[in-house]
Amino acid sequence: METDSISKASQNGPTDKDGPLEKKRPEKATVLQQDIGLLSGISLIVGTMIGSGIFISPKSVLLYSGDVGPCLLIWTACGVLATMGRSGALCYAELGTMITKSGAEYSYLMEAFGSLVAYLYSWTTVMVLKPSSFAIITLSFAEYASAPFYPDCTPPLVVIKCLSAAAITVIITGVNCLSVKLASYVQNFFTGAKLIIIIVIVVAGIVLMAQGKTENLSNAFEGSSTSFGAIGLAFYNGLWAYDGWNQLNFITEELKNPYRNLPLAIVIGIPLVTVCYVFVNIAYFTVMTPSELLSSSAVAVTFGDKVLYPVAWIVPLFVAFSTFGSANGSCFTAGRLSYVAGREGHMVKILSYISLKRFTPLPALLFNGILAIFYIIPADINTLINYFSFAQWAFYGLTTLALIVMRFTRKDLDRPVKVPMVIAGIVTLVSCYLVLAPIIDKPEWAYLYCTIFIFSGLILYFPLVYKKANWARKIMRPITMHLQLLMEVVPPEKTE
């Protein structure tokens, strides 16, 4: 939005005995290296998807679906939809191999619909979707981390929110600001932890079923919900647990052989997570009735208390590890969109700057963390999930529509992966359903507020991006200068 006010000054500023710091290591901070292979890509997808959702969402999916049978069907359908599309994993495979730029939806919307739609996406995602997702995950982390200290009741809300805020500000954001390598080590450790607890729950469920614990799985469709909007909300909460598969599209420029590894990682990773999720839910129902599951404040903890006593403490510990790792991954990728949008002039430049000393996107990480804390204050987890999903699915639908549009407007682009048009069409229609169904069934002011917020970005777009008003540059130049000096950050190297 504004010029790189003191880029030259800052880059000639901090020095050591060998000369300017940035002349020694600029590429490490700003040039995207293709060092992520297929296995790492699968790990990123699986590690990001398995976070808080499977330990929080089961209650809401069951609540809106009505009974065990439809609940399990929705979990399976969510996995199929995620692989087929979820605004399309397969559609994203075509988009990611056709447009090999980082930024995921932002880059695709820019290519298909132009600057305005891409800007509205970046505006909504940076200001709402990324920080609200961060807040949701840390709230679930705090709920599970505090549950063992309140064995006979739900942890106080103030405790959950304070612990969530501490995780955001002091630990996760701090780690990601300090070092990319440190954040990567943290992510790898907690990804291993989440896989351990998934295996423990699934194996325990298989053993119980072998012992004949199948009462809750009989007559599984008696209380099925037929409400148009309720089924939509059940999908909202189920698909929240699958969120994260598209993180690979945010780092396409860093992926080795994206034409091969991007679609393969998607096709392998998502079905693997789907199998885990369905078996985890079956395991829950081997020891809990639907009413018991709905009354539990922490589903996995209740499962552990019933099955794993006297070592039930390992469940909340490892679930807290899982959610913490997912929150770390969310924070780790939060600056990527700001980086790409800043490169296009759609965001305040300072958000795409890089720390001279730490080689991390420090301003974007701090900004995301501060916004996440504001989202923690007024809302509970389920409200945030519904709010998040409404806005996210609108842009997911636009992204698959972009795929259809570019089949006609950008025939010149190479398409190593080509998805049948019918899949893109189905996913676009499903996206429309998931946006409209809850609104039609139960209109709420939150949906209107979300829509108003999305289009409020136009107030800034026309003077600051489209017109590039000089007065805005004059205002932002000293602000950018002081923030650069305060945080010791510089603009990323320009790339084509």
Side-chain angles (χ1 to χ4, degrees):
M1 288 181 177
E2 77 282 358
T3 57
D4 299 339
S5 56
I6 60 165
S7 58
K8 291 183 179 179
S10 62
Q11 289 176 357
N12 292 325
T15 61
D16 62 8
K17 63 181 181 181
D18 298 318
L21 292 176
E22 80 292 350
K23 290 184 178 180
K24 292 170 61 180
R25 297 180 292 180
E27 293 80 12
K28 184 177 180 181
T30 61
V31 176
L32 301 176
Q33 303 293 324
Q34 290 186 319
D35 55 5
I36 298 177
L38 176 61
L39 184 59
S40 296
I42 295 172
S43 299
L44 178 63
I45 290 175
V46 173
T48 308
M49 289 173 68
I50 301 177
S52 62
I54 188 58
F55 309 114
I56 296 295
S57 295
K59 288 199 300 181
S60 297
V61 174
L62 177 62
L63 175 65
Y64 293 117
S65 61
D67 211 337
V68 175
C71 176
L72 294 176
L73 284 179
I74 286 174
W75 277 105
T76 305
C78 286
V80 173
L81 184 57
T83 307
M84 242 183 74
R86 186 139 182 237
S87 86
L90 293 181
C91 295
Y92 269 49
E94 176 175 334
L95 288 165
T97 54
M98 179 174 63
I99 303 169
T100 55
K101 294 181 180 178
S102 296
E105 292 92 347
Y106 175 82
S107 296
Y108 313 145
L109 293 173
M110 172 75 82
E111 198 74 29
F113 301 120
S115 175
L116 178 59
V117 176
Y119 171 82
L120 289 178
Y121 169 77
S122 64
W123 159 258
T124 307
T125 303
V126 171
M127 298 299 295
V128 177
L129 301 184
K130 283 292 186 183
S132 68
S133 173
F134 194 14
I136 292 167
I137 299 170
T138 55
L139 281 169
S140 58
F141 158 74
E143 185 171 341
Y144 274 94
S146 58
F149 300 96
Y150 299 88
D152 299 321
C153 62
T154 302
L157 193 59
V158 65
V159 172
I160 292 175
K161 292 188 175 183
C162 287
L163 183 57
S164 175
I168 289 174
T169 57
V170 179
I171 306 174
I172 298 174
T173 303
V175 164
N176 281 270
C177 287
L178 283 174
S179 169
V180 172
K181 283 188 176 181
L182 178 59
S184 298
Y185 294 150
V186 169
Q187 186 67 24
N188 292 339
F189 174 81
F190 287 107
T191 296
K194 69 181 67 182
L195 291 176
I196 289 173
I197 192 59
I198 288 288
I199 292 171
V200 168
I201 293 174
V202 169
V203 170
I206 292 173
V207 171
L208 290 170
M209 290 184 68
Q211 294 174 350
K213 302 288 185 178
T214 60
E215 298 87 354
N216 296 327
L217 300 173
S218 304
N219 301 318
F221 291 87
E222 288 184 349
S224 303
S225 173
T226 56
S227 167
F228 182 78
I231 295 298
L233 288 172
F235 269 98
Y236 263 12
N237 288 274
L239 287 166
W240 162 248
Y242 286 91
D243 193 63
W245 57 266
N246 62 339
Q247 295 301 305
L248 209 56
N249 290 75
F250 280 92
I251 58 168
T252 305
E253 295 172 30
E254 299 168 89
L255 189 63
K256 294 178 181 177
N257 191 7
Y259 304 109
R260 171 183 177 271
N261 292 337
L262 179 63
L264 271 179
I266 289 172
V267 170
I268 294 172
I270 299 176
L272 176 62
V273 173
T274 302
V275 171
C276 291
Y277 281 2
V278 172
F279 274 98
V280 165
N281 276 276
I282 292 174
Y284 289 156
F285 288 119
T286 59
V287 295
M288 284 183 279
T289 65
S291 59
E292 287 175 331
L293 191 145
L294 290 172
S295 64
S296 172
S297 62
V299 178
V301 173
T302 302
F303 177 88
D305 290 339
K306 289 177 174 287
V307 177
L308 301 175
Y309 185 82
V311 292
W313 56 267
I314 69 170
V315 175
L317 175 65
F318 278 89
V319 172
F321 283 171
S322 174
T323 52
F324 186 90
S326 185
N328 182 75
S330 175
C331 181
F332 188 82
T333 60
R336 186 63 63 196
L337 178 61
S338 296
Y339 168 80
V340 178
R343 195 168 65 185
E344 298 291 338
H346 281 180
M347 295 298 299
V348 176
K349 290 289 185 182
I350 191 68
L351 293 182
S352 65
Y353 283 10
I354 304 296
S355 171
L356 267 173
K357 293 182 177 179
R358 307 295 182 182
F359 300 97
T360 58
L362 190 146
L365 292 168
L366 290 177
F367 186 68
N368 183 64
I370 291 169
L371 286 179
I373 291 175
F374 281 107
Y375 282 105
I376 285 173
I377 296 171
D380 62 27
I381 292 175
N382 289 328
T383 300
L384 280 173
I385 289 174
N386 292 336
Y387 187 78
F388 172 88
S389 299
F390 167 74
Q392 187 72 78
W393 271 97
F395 287 110
Y396 280 165
L398 279 174
T399 305
T400 45
L401 181 61
L403 175 62
I404 297 173
V405 168
M406 283 190 286
R407 286 286 180 89
F408 300 97
T409 62
R410 297 303 307 273
K411 295 180 180 179
D412 58 306
L413 292 174
D414 183 36
R415 292 172 169 82
V417 176
K418 197 167 184 179
V419 178
M421 285 275 283
V422 65
I423 291 182
I426 290 172
V427 176
T428 302
L429 292 175
V430 170
S431 300
C432 292
Y433 165 73
L434 291 173
V435 170
L436 296 175
I439 300 175
I440 295 172
D441 185 70
K442 189 179 180 182
E444 293 184 3
W445 286 107
Y447 300 126
L448 178 61
Y449 296 150
C450 182
T451 304
I452 291 173
F453 179 85
I454 292 173
F455 288 100
S456 69
L458 297 174
I459 298 173
L460 297 177
Y461 175 80
F462 284 105
L464 302 183
V465 178
Y466 185 74
K467 294 291 186 181
K468 297 182 179 178
N470 288 328
W471 60 264
R473 297 187 180 192
K474 291 179 180 178
I475 292 174
M476 289 305 302
R477 187 173 292 115
I479 296 174
T480 302
M481 181 183 297
H482 286 92
L483 288 175
Q484 280 190 259
L485 293 171
L486 177 65
M487 294 185 285
E488 294 186 325
V489 294
V490 295
E493 181 179 338
K494 294 186 184 300
T495 58
E496 297 297 329

